[in-house]
Amino acid sequence: MIKRFAIYGILVAVAAISLQLIQYKLLIINHSIELYSGVLALIFTITGIYAGQRLTRKKEVVIEKLVYATPEPIMTSFPIEVDEQLREKLGISKREFEILELMSHGHSNQEIADKLFVSVSTVKTHTSNIFLKLDVKRRTAAVKKAQDLNLIA
Amino acid sequence: MIKRFAIYGILVAVAAISLQLIQYKLLIINHSIELYSGVLALIFTITGIYAGQRLTRKKEVVIEKLVYATPEPIMTSFPIEVDEQLREKLGISKREFEILELMSHGHSNQEIADKLFVSVSTVKTHTSNIFLKLDVKRRTAAVKKAQDLNLIA
DNA sequence: AAACCTTTCATACCAAAGTATGAATTTTGG
DNA sequence: CCAAAATTCATACTTTGGTATGAAAGGTTT
C-alpha cells in the first residue's frame, strides 16, 4: 500500500513537471491558459478517479445481519394503573387485554391459543369482542389504536 | 445517479470558473503559474478521488455478521437517514417501505391498493417480499419487528 | 446489447382471520 | 343466593391474507 502511494506520488510529480515544461510553449503559442487549465483539470480528475479506485478497491465490507431478540415485557414502576383505568373505560376484560397484548406481539390466533391453553374458537371470540370495543375491523388496526391510546406499549 | 452526475458536473464547472477568475490575479501578482498548476492539480485530484469513490461500486467481500438489535436505537441528528440505511440494509425497496408503513397504520391490502392506486395483487406481492426480508410470516409480526428495529415509528 | 432490479399485475390455491349464533361453565358483585 | 358478567367452546360461513408462479414494462448497470 505504501509502495502504491510512492508510485502514485512519483507519477503525479512527473505529470506535473511535464505539464509545467509544456506550459510555456502553450503560453507562447497562443496564451491559451484556459485550455491549459482545462487539460490540467481533466488529467488530474481522471488521475484522481483512478487513484480513488486503486485505494478503495477490494475493501472488505461487513454486512451486519440484524436479528431482533424479542425483549421481555418492560416492567416500569406504575403503568399498570393507567392501563387498568383505560382498559376498564373501554370495557375490555382482563382476558381480552391479555390477548390484545399477544396480538400486538405479532402472534397468530393459533399461537395465542397455544400460549393461553385455550381453543382457537375462544381466541376468535375474544378478538372479535376486542374489535367491537376498539371500533376496528382488523387486528392490525386494533394494535395501532391500542398503541395510539397508550393502552399497550 | 444521473442527478449525482449533474451535481458533480455543476460543481466542476463552478470550480473551473472560479479558478479561471482568480488566475489572472495570481499571474499579475507574481506570475506563479507553477503555484496555480499545483493548486489546480491538487483540487482536481481530490475531486477526482471523491468522484471515483462516489461513482464506483466497491467490489465487496460480504461477511455476514449476526447482530442483536438493541431496542433503543442509534439516535443521530438525521433519523431519516438511519431509516434509509436500515431499509437498504434489509433490502427493502422504497415502495415496499411505503406499503409497510400503511400496513402499520392498520390498513388492509385493499385499502393500501386504493391509496397507492395499484391492484391488490401488487400489494400482495410487496407484502410477501416484505415478510421474506423481515423474516416473518404475518403482517402483525412484520409491523412489530419493523417497530422494534426502529424502521418505522 | 444483455443482465438486472423494481414495480406492476394476474391467476389459482391454501391458510388464517373474522362474523354470527348459540351454548355451557365459572366468577363476581349486590 | 342470584343475576350479570366473563370465559370457554363449537359449528358454519365469509372475507382477508399469504404463497407460488409467471410475466411484462421501465430504468439502471455492466
Side-chain angles (χ1 to χ4, degrees):
Chain A
M1 185 57 90
I2 291 164
K3 198 158 61 177
R4 278 205 183 132
F5 266 108
I7 292 167
Y8 175 65
I10 291 164
L11 282 174
V12 167
V14 169
I17 290 164
S18 307
L19 281 164
Q20 296 204 355
L21 283 175
I22 63 165
Q23 80 185 11
Y24 295 109
K25 191 172 265 185
L26 278 167
L27 280 169
I28 289 162
I29 291 169
N30 54 10
H31 291 271
S32 64
I33 188 107
E34 289 85 358
L35 179 63
Y36 170 67
S37 297
V39 171
L40 208 63
L42 184 64
I43 289 171
F44 279 97
T45 301
I46 291 166
T47 312
I49 290 172
Y50 176 74
Q53 285 183 337
R54 276 277 142 192
L55 295 174
T56 58
R57 200 191 285 179
K58 283 181 182 175
K59 212 171 191 174
E60 284 196 353
V61 175
V62 175
I63 292 182
E64 294 177 345
K65 189 177 181 183
L66 291 172
V67 175
Y68 184 73
T70 42
E72 293 305 308
I74 305 137
M75 299 296 280
T76 49
S77 347
F78 302 105
I80 301 144
E81 283 193 20
V82 180
D83 287 357
E84 280 287 299
Q85 283 180 11
L86 184 55
R87 183 181 65 72
E88 293 197 352
K89 188 181 284 184
L90 292 167
I92 294 170
S93 74
K94 288 181 181 176
R95 196 56 157 174
E96 285 164 357
F97 182 75
E98 217 176 336
I99 284 170
L100 179 59
E101 281 187 314
L102 290 171
M103 220 162 53
S104 77
H105 291 348
H107 295 298
S108 68
N109 286 338
Q110 184 62 63
E111 286 168 352
I112 295 170
D114 292 344
K115 274 185 191 278
L116 301 181
F117 301 104
V118 293
S119 74
V120 182
S121 298
T122 305
V123 177
K124 283 186 177 184
T125 305
H126 285 314
T127 52
S128 274
N129 290 330
I130 292 169
F131 299 158
L132 286 174
K133 288 166 184 176
L134 285 178
D135 190 32
V136 295
K137 290 189 180 297
R138 278 173 298 280
R139 54 178 45 222
T140 43
V143 170
K144 178 65 164 42
K145 191 151 189 176
Q147 285 174 345
D148 289 343
L149 291 170
N150 278 298
L151 184 62
I152 58 173
Chain B
M1 186 55 88
I2 289 165
K3 200 155 63 178
R4 276 200 185 139
F5 266 108
I7 291 167
Y8 175 65
I10 290 164
L11 283 174
V12 168
V14 169
I17 289 165
S18 307
L19 282 164
Q20 296 206 353
L21 284 175
I22 64 165
Q23 79 183 11
Y24 295 108
K25 193 173 263 183
L26 277 167
L27 280 169
I28 289 161
I29 290 168
N30 55 8
H31 292 273
S32 64
I33 189 111
E34 291 84 357
L35 178 64
Y36 171 66
S37 298
V39 171
L40 209 63
L42 184 65
I43 288 171
F44 279 98
T45 302
I46 291 167
T47 313
I49 289 171
Y50 176 75
Q53 288 184 339
R54 276 272 142 189
L55 300 175
T56 46
R57 282 276 165 84
K58 293 169 198 163
K59 296 197 173 179
E60 44 192 41
V61 179
V62 176
I63 298 172
E64 283 207 350
K65 184 183 175 184
L66 292 180
V67 172
Y68 286 90
T70 48
E72 283 309 308
I74 320 104
M75 292 296 283
T76 54
S77 36
F78 302 102
I80 300 145
E81 281 194 20
V82 177
D83 286 357
E84 280 288 299
Q85 284 179 10
L86 183 56
R87 182 179 67 71
E88 292 197 353
K89 190 181 282 184
L90 293 167
I92 294 171
S93 74
K94 288 181 182 177
R95 196 57 158 174
E96 286 164 357
F97 182 75
E98 216 176 337
I99 283 168
L100 178 59
E101 283 186 312
L102 289 172
M103 220 161 55
S104 76
H105 293 348
H107 295 298
S108 68
N109 286 338
Q110 184 63 63
E111 286 168 350
I112 295 170
D114 292 344
K115 275 186 191 278
L116 299 181
F117 300 104
V118 294
S119 75
V120 181
S121 299
T122 305
V123 177
K124 282 186 177 185
T125 305
H126 286 314
T127 52
S128 273
N129 290 331
I130 292 168
F131 299 158
L132 285 175
K133 288 166 185 177
L134 285 178
D135 191 33
V136 295
K137 290 190 180 299
R138 278 174 298 281
R139 54 175 50 221
T140 43
V143 170
K144 177 65 163 43
K145 191 153 190 176
Q147 285 174 347
D148 289 343
L149 292 170
N150 279 296
L151 184 62
I152 58 174

